[in-house]
Amino acid sequence: MKKKKSAKKWWILLAVIVLVLVGGFMFRKQLALLGFDLFLQDKVEESLNGSYQPIDGKPEVSREVTEPFSALLLGVDQRDKEVGRSDTMIYSVVRPKDNKVLLISIPRDTYTEIVGYNGGVKTKINHAYAHGGVKMSIDTVEKLLGAKVDHYATVNFEGLKDVVDAMGGVKLPITEDIVNKDPNHEKFRIEGNKPIYSGQEALYYVRYREDSDMNRTMRHRIFLEAMMNRAVELDQIHKIPDLIGIMGKNFTTDMRPSYMIDLAKTMFQNAGAPIISSYMLHGEGQRMNGGWYYLPLEEDIEYVQQLIKNWMDPNAQPSDLKPRQFTIE
């Protein structure tokens, strides 16, 4: 009789263990969010306060956390005390409710009017950041694309090495060795087909410049996508405060910390990592005034304007959100 009772207890204990394990798997996101709310949120918000830098004169945008919004992402490769230029300019639209993100790359050599600089002189778009920082970059992109920028975020690639290493590396689609061998450039080699890449290798990846500006722009976008995907993995949640602390002054934005936290939690509750759609502004290279410039096609600017309008519409159909395909020679 005692053996039967003992066996029954073991079966009950086993059933409880199975339920806990299965429940923990099925509701792991809810459990992770609960843990974040209880133990990490205050620390994360405090860390993010150091990255919050609103733009003077720009009114704060107020919206529900589920509403679509646009943001200009600026990847700056600034070393030591040199003047920084925005090597990467990406106009993005985030649809939190759909868990979707649109990334529109603007090549750094794009020839356009730099709003607010010498009466609106035309030159390479990455000069906007060098001469007027974030404000001039936003004004210039808004004029080029005819679309409003709700927020901005800047990332200094030099400062991301430690962040990538703290995340245990990042996955990059490098199928062949990448070698920087021009005598005027920094020397390095990145081995292809590795499962994971270190922070230093990731930095080399975004700095490689010996093929074309178009390909370099694409690598920047691929790297940012890889970082986002790595950051939303479940096993990285407990590292968020440390990662934000490591980024320090290498990341700035005008999105309030509380809004970013609510936004991240909203998107995290969706199934899987955000679905990222990418597009690059089409144009043609041309040498003018002793320099090489990228001239955007007017018809493509019109297409991008419509694409952004579709993505900003909460009621847009999925077919309206899919960018058309393009290839890079």
Side-chain angles (χ1 to χ4, degrees):
M1 188 72 176
K2 287 184 179 180
K3 288 184 178 180
K4 288 185 177 180
K5 287 185 178 180
S6 178
K8 186 176 181 181
K9 287 181 180 179
W10 277 108
W11 277 109
I12 292 174
L13 179 60
L14 180 61
V16 170
I17 292 173
V18 169
L19 286 173
V20 169
L21 291 175
V22 173
F25 177 77
M26 293 178 63
F27 300 103
R28 61 192 184 280
K29 288 193 173 184
Q30 288 83 347
L31 291 173
L33 287 173
L34 177 61
F36 178 85
D37 289 341
L38 290 175
F39 305 111
L40 298 178
Q41 178 157 336
D42 291 343
K43 188 176 180 181
V44 169
E45 189 164 351
E46 181 180 350
S47 298
L48 285 173
N49 280 329
S51 299
Y52 176 60
Q53 292 187 18
I55 300 173
D56 290 341
K58 187 178 185 297
E60 186 173 357
V61 181
S62 178
R63 76 178 68 79
E64 295 294 327
V65 74
T66 56
E67 292 181 34
F69 68 89
S70 64
L72 180 63
L73 309 180
L74 299 170
V76 183
D77 194 4
Q78 185 173 3
R79 313 178 202 191
D80 300 323
K81 296 181 180 179
E82 68 180 12
V83 176
R85 282 190 171 87
S86 51
D87 269 12
T88 302
M89 299 187 79
I90 298 177
Y91 186 101
S92 65
V93 179
V94 181
R95 294 173 62 90
K97 196 172 182 178
D98 299 340
N99 201 31
K100 293 181 178 180
V101 178
L102 172 67
L103 302 177
I104 301 175
S105 296
I106 305 171
R108 62 177 189 158
D109 291 336
T110 297
Y111 185 71
T112 190
E113 176 186 338
I114 308 300
V115 178
Y117 178 60
N118 283 352
V121 67
K122 282 194 169 186
T123 186
K124 297 180 180 182
I125 196 167
N126 69 334
H127 287 199
Y129 187 85
H131 294 295
V134 172
K135 176 68 166 59
M136 190 173 287
S137 297
I138 290 176
D139 293 342
T140 298
V141 169
E142 286 184 336
K143 180 70 179 292
L144 171 66
L145 300 183
K148 183 182 177 184
V149 173
D150 293 324
H151 296 290
Y152 83 88
T154 69
V155 176
N156 186 350
F157 288 131
E158 177 68 32
L160 286 182
K161 288 185 296 184
D162 293 338
V163 177
V164 171
D165 288 335
M167 291 195 299
V170 67
K171 301 172 184 176
L172 296 171
I174 302 174
T175 56
E176 297 180 355
D177 290 3
I178 296 177
V179 184
N180 225 31
K181 51 192 175 182
D182 188 297
N184 298 315
H185 294 165
E186 181 182 9
K187 302 294 184 300
F188 59 76
R189 174 188 293 273
I190 312 171
E191 182 183 337
N193 297 306
K194 293 177 63 175
I196 205 84
Y197 289 90
S198 68
Q200 184 63 65
E201 290 171 321
L203 183 60
Y204 286 155
Y205 179 75
V206 299
R207 280 184 175 166
Y208 181 67
R209 57 192 303 176
E210 295 183 5
D211 46 5
S212 70
D213 184 53
M214 291 287 287
N215 283 329
R216 190 184 191 199
T217 299
M218 175 172 280
R219 281 192 294 274
H220 288 185
R221 190 178 68 242
I222 289 171
F223 169 68
L224 292 176
E225 289 181 24
M227 285 282 288
M228 283 191 282
N229 288 333
R230 190 70 166 163
V232 298
E233 289 180 4
L234 183 64
D235 60 357
Q236 300 294 320
I237 288 180
H238 67 285
K239 296 182 180 179
I240 289 176
D242 293 334
L243 294 175
I244 294 173
I246 292 170
M247 290 185 73
K249 295 181 180 179
N250 294 297
F251 169 72
T252 61
T253 182
D254 64 341
M255 285 185 277
R256 287 190 176 276
S258 57
Y259 176 77
M260 284 194 288
I261 290 172
D262 289 343
L263 175 66
K265 287 164 65 175
T266 297
M267 298 187 73
F268 179 73
Q269 291 180 78
N270 294 314
I275 300 170
I276 299 174
S277 298
S278 300
Y279 191 79
M280 185 178 294
L281 184 63
H282 287 61
E284 297 176 346
Q286 184 175 327
R287 186 164 292 278
M288 303 185 304
N289 304 320
W292 193 91
Y293 298 87
Y294 184 80
L295 279 61
L297 301 174
E298 187 59 39
E299 58 266 30
D300 203 55
I301 290 179
E302 293 175 0
Y303 169 75
V304 166
Q305 289 174 345
Q306 185 58 53
L307 183 62
I308 292 172
K309 184 177 179 180
N310 292 346
W311 272 75
M312 290 296 291
D313 180 1
N315 301 314
Q317 298 299 311
S319 59
D320 297 327
L321 304 179
K322 187 176 181 180
R324 60 188 181 189
Q325 296 297 310
F326 71 96
T327 58
I328 294 180
E329 299 292 334

